[in-house]
Structure formats: C-alpha cells, structure tokens
Amino acid sequence: MNQPPQSEYTQAEAYAPMETAASEAAAALPGFPGFHRRSWAELPCSHDGIDDPEHTTVEIRYEFSIEDSGTDSVRSEYVDVLRDLWTGQGNEVTEDSQTTRGERLDRELVAVRDDGINLWYSVTGIVVLFIQSGCVPVSDPSEIEYIPPVGGIEPGSENDLVGDYFPDGIPTDQAAAVDPFADAQAIGALVPFTPPESYEDLL
C-alpha cells in the first residue's frame, strides 16, 4: 500500500491551525451574524481503496443557523469575501461552483493551503464552513487538547459538539481563549432555534 503524503501535523497538532483558519474566515465576514454550531469529526484516510488505520482526516465544521443560511450575505456575499481572503493568503482555489436546485442557488468554494489544510465553504440548505486537515497521523486521544470555538459559540455549550473527544468533560476552565465575536451586538441578537430532526430536505 502506498504511504500517505508527509504531513506537517499530527492529528493532535492539526486542530490549532485549523481553528485559527476558521477564526480568520469569520473575522473577514462583514456583518457576521455568528455561527450556530461547531463540531469535530474524523474521516477515513484511504490509499489504494483501503482505509489506513494509522492516519485520519480531521474535519472541523462551523454551521450557520437555518435562518442565517437563508440570507443573501451568507449565501452569496460571503463566498466572494472568502474567495478574496483565501486567494490573498496564497491558497489555491480548487473548486468554485454553482448549482441551481429549483429556486435555490447552491455554491461550493474550496481552497487548499500549502500545509495541506483544506478550506471549504459549502452553501446548500444550511451553510457550513469546513476546515479539513488532509491525511495526518493518528494521535492518542489524550494528546488532543480542547480549543474553544470561534464565532460566538459558547465553549462547552450544547452547540459546541466536541464532547466525544473529552469523555471526562470539556475542560473549558483550562481554555479561556478570547472570542472576538463573543461580545458583539449581533451575537446577543441571535435567536435560539431547535434543529430539525432531519436535514434531508435542506441539503
């Protein structure tokens, strides 16, 4: 089996630069309403059609609320802003597409950094900012450190979906990072909502 490309990071090392990329993206968005939810996930790293248990792909997801996902700024303007940001940082845009679904226009913007991290803004029924690590060596779970979410999400809250990585509890008292959007007036005006049982009709 072919070996994966050399990575600049291990799994445990990848979260910090990935979260920084998410923070940079949020900071660039004019009139930013705040994210609704964050989650961490892992995707298989496959070579020659075989999953490699010693490597994984880390994926960080920041979702906008359903309400904000329907606004012109989030669906259209932010695509242009992030394209300018990512290309201005010297990243290669590998996808920049539009798809009409009935009366809805979906968009996909993907850029790749020199360190292998992928930046992906996906505009479907719900708009999501994905940050992906590419294939990185798997770390022992004890090496993974908690990093507070950005974009107005309260660390350790029900919308900070990283609890599976911290079975003893999310150590929010050890990570008092400053979120530049936490005190923004727009964040205080966010309307809480209960997510639907299924997103099938939205995607």
Side-chain angles (χ1 to χ4, degrees):
M1 182 173 67
N2 293 333
Q3 294 298 312
Q6 188 70 28
S7 170
E8 289 194 21
Y9 311 106
T10 64
Q11 177 186 358
E13 293 168 344
Y15 293 95
M18 292 171 68
E19 287 286 356
T20 296
S23 179
E24 291 172 346
L29 301 177
F32 178 60
F35 292 120
H36 171 65
R37 179 163 50 196
R38 172 186 76 163
S39 61
W40 290 357
E42 295 174 41
L43 306 176
C45 185
S46 301
H47 307 282
D48 297 333
I50 301 174
D51 289 349
D52 179 358
E54 296 182 357
H55 289 78
T56 189
T57 296
V58 175
E59 181 175 87
I60 294 176
R61 306 167 183 167
Y62 278 96
E63 298 179 13
F64 287 92
S65 70
I66 293 176
E67 290 84 356
D68 290 330
S69 291
T71 63
D72 289 340
S73 58
V74 172
R75 300 191 65 83
S76 179
E77 180 184 2
Y78 287 1
V79 176
D80 297 333
V81 172
L82 290 175
R83 183 189 302 109
D84 290 344
L85 172 67
W86 292 343
T87 56
Q89 292 173 333
N91 305 315
E92 177 187 2
V93 172
T94 58
E95 182 174 356
D96 191 354
S97 62
Q98 300 182 2
T99 303
T100 301
R101 301 185 186 279
E103 297 182 356
R104 192 181 79 193
L105 181 63
D106 292 350
R107 302 168 184 266
E108 302 290 343
L109 178 67
V110 182
V112 179
R113 301 188 345 177
D114 289 341
D115 60 0
I117 289 177
N118 298 320
L119 312 168
W120 175 17
Y121 193 69
S122 178
V123 178
T124 56
I126 293 178
V127 179
V128 184
L129 172 67
F130 296 92
I131 312 291
Q132 297 174 332
S133 67
C135 288
V136 294
V138 171
S139 297
D140 187 271
S142 64
E143 298 176 6
I144 298 174
E145 297 182 358
Y146 178 76
I147 300 174
V150 302
I153 298 171
E154 181 182 351
S157 69
E158 63 181 1
N159 291 334
D160 185 16
L161 305 180
V162 299
D164 288 349
Y165 290 84
F166 307 97
D168 295 330
I170 294 177
T172 55
D173 58 334
Q174 301 175 13
V178 175
D179 180 351
F181 306 103
D183 297 324
Q185 183 176 0
I187 299 302
L190 288 178
V191 178
F193 79 99
T194 302
E197 294 182 0
S198 172
Y199 289 101
E200 181 175 352
D201 295 335
L202 296 167
L203 302 177

